[in-house]
Amino acid sequence: MKKLLIGLAIAGACGGAIANEQDAEQVNYGDPTASFSSLGVSASEDSTQLNGMIGLGSNIFQLDLGVDNKSGDMNYRGRYFHVTDGLGYSVDVLGDKDNTTALAGAIYKFQVTDNIMLFPMASVGYTTSDAVEGEGERKAKSESALGQLGLYGMYGFDAGHWIYANPKATYHEQSKEWIPQIEVGGGYMILDNASIGAKVEYTGESSKKNLVKKEDTVAWLQASYYF
């Protein structure tokens, strides 16, 4: 009987380990609601970022720290994300030496097929900016309430790779206008716990009071390690 109990315990432990391994394999790292931990780096022509994420069950913490490659100015984004069954809530704070933005929002996961997922999202928040014109000439401080609507759609390949598109629009209460944005990209798993990827971000032109923001397109290369 003792040997039988020991055998059952060992079998149960092995079964649990296999189940945990299978659960880990089922995580697609392109899923914005998936809970996992990672460390990575992102680089564009003008900026370099260190990307970190810690997933503690339904609680996810993210921190992105960036630097302007020319001026050396720092920028950041901190995020807390809570995931429930299909529904997630988030709080974001991001900015640099001239701008600060805070957002609170929600995202919902629709599993369309085994490989296709859709995530409608909505956020509200507030932004402040010390507008700059020309050779560092500062203009009046700009402040505005924000509202943002978006849709994240992704295709997750069976091997763990993914591609995605994330169109969204942000409403600035101060200028009474919607600013369109879209991000498209993907990731390729080079190891079971490492990926490389790329994305392109486009932001439409803004003509907010006291600040003129030109449309912008930025391409990024990324590498991440998961643990």
Side-chain angles (χ1 to χ4, degrees):
M1 178 61 73
K2 184 176 180 180
K3 291 183 179 180
L4 177 61
L5 291 175
I6 293 174
L8 290 175
I10 293 173
C14 292
I18 293 172
N20 289 337
E21 183 177 349
Q22 289 174 339
D23 288 343
E25 290 176 352
Q26 291 173 358
V27 172
N28 187 292
Y29 297 113
D31 182 344
T33 62
S35 180
F36 54 85
S37 297
S38 66
L39 186 64
V41 62
S42 303
S44 70
E45 181 180 357
D46 298 322
S47 183
T48 303
Q49 280 187 350
L50 182 65
N51 314 118
M53 175 169 157
I54 297 177
L56 303 174
S58 60
N59 298 296
I60 302 170
F61 302 86
Q62 292 176 275
L63 179 62
D64 300 326
L65 295 176
V67 61
D68 187 287
N69 295 336
K70 295 178 181 179
S71 68
D73 292 338
M74 302 291 294
N75 58 77
Y76 65 90
R77 175 182 177 179
R79 188 184 202 205
Y80 167 71
F81 192 49
H82 181 74
V83 181
T84 59
D85 186 17
L87 182 65
Y89 304 92
S90 64
V91 177
D92 292 77
V93 179
L94 60 152
D96 54 30
K97 66 184 181 66
D98 296 317
N99 305 275
T100 302
T101 300
L103 292 166
I107 181 172
Y108 192 83
K109 177 178 180 178
F110 288 99
Q111 189 80 39
V112 181
T113 69
D114 288 342
N115 300 95
I116 299 174
M117 287 168 273
L118 294 177
F119 305 81
M121 56 186 70
S123 300
V124 294
Y126 197 80
T127 185
T128 63
S129 174
D130 291 325
V132 178
E133 185 179 271
E135 298 296 324
E137 178 185 349
R138 292 186 177 274
K139 302 183 72 177
K141 187 173 184 177
S142 173
E143 300 182 352
S144 180
L146 302 175
Q148 189 177 88
L149 296 174
L151 178 67
Y152 183 102
M154 67 165 286
Y155 184 92
F157 295 88
D158 293 339
H161 321 307
W162 69 92
I163 54 175
Y164 72 91
N166 181 202
K168 55 189 173 183
T170 304
Y171 180 75
H172 292 259
E173 186 276 334
Q174 183 197 52
S175 58
K176 313 297 183 190
E177 66 177 341
W178 288 90
I179 307 301
Q181 298 169 282
I182 186 169
E183 177 183 328
V184 294
Y188 185 87
M189 299 300 297
I190 56 175
L191 298 170
D192 290 341
N193 58 351
S195 71
I196 55 174
K199 65 177 180 178
V200 176
E201 299 173 325
Y202 168 80
T203 302
E205 185 175 4
S206 168
S207 58
K208 295 194 298 181
K209 183 180 179 181
N210 298 325
L211 177 64
V212 176
K213 181 178 177 60
K214 302 296 185 181
E215 65 178 352
D216 192 24
T217 302
V218 181
W220 294 83
L221 295 176
Q222 303 168 307
S224 297
Y225 174 78
Y226 309 98
F227 53 90

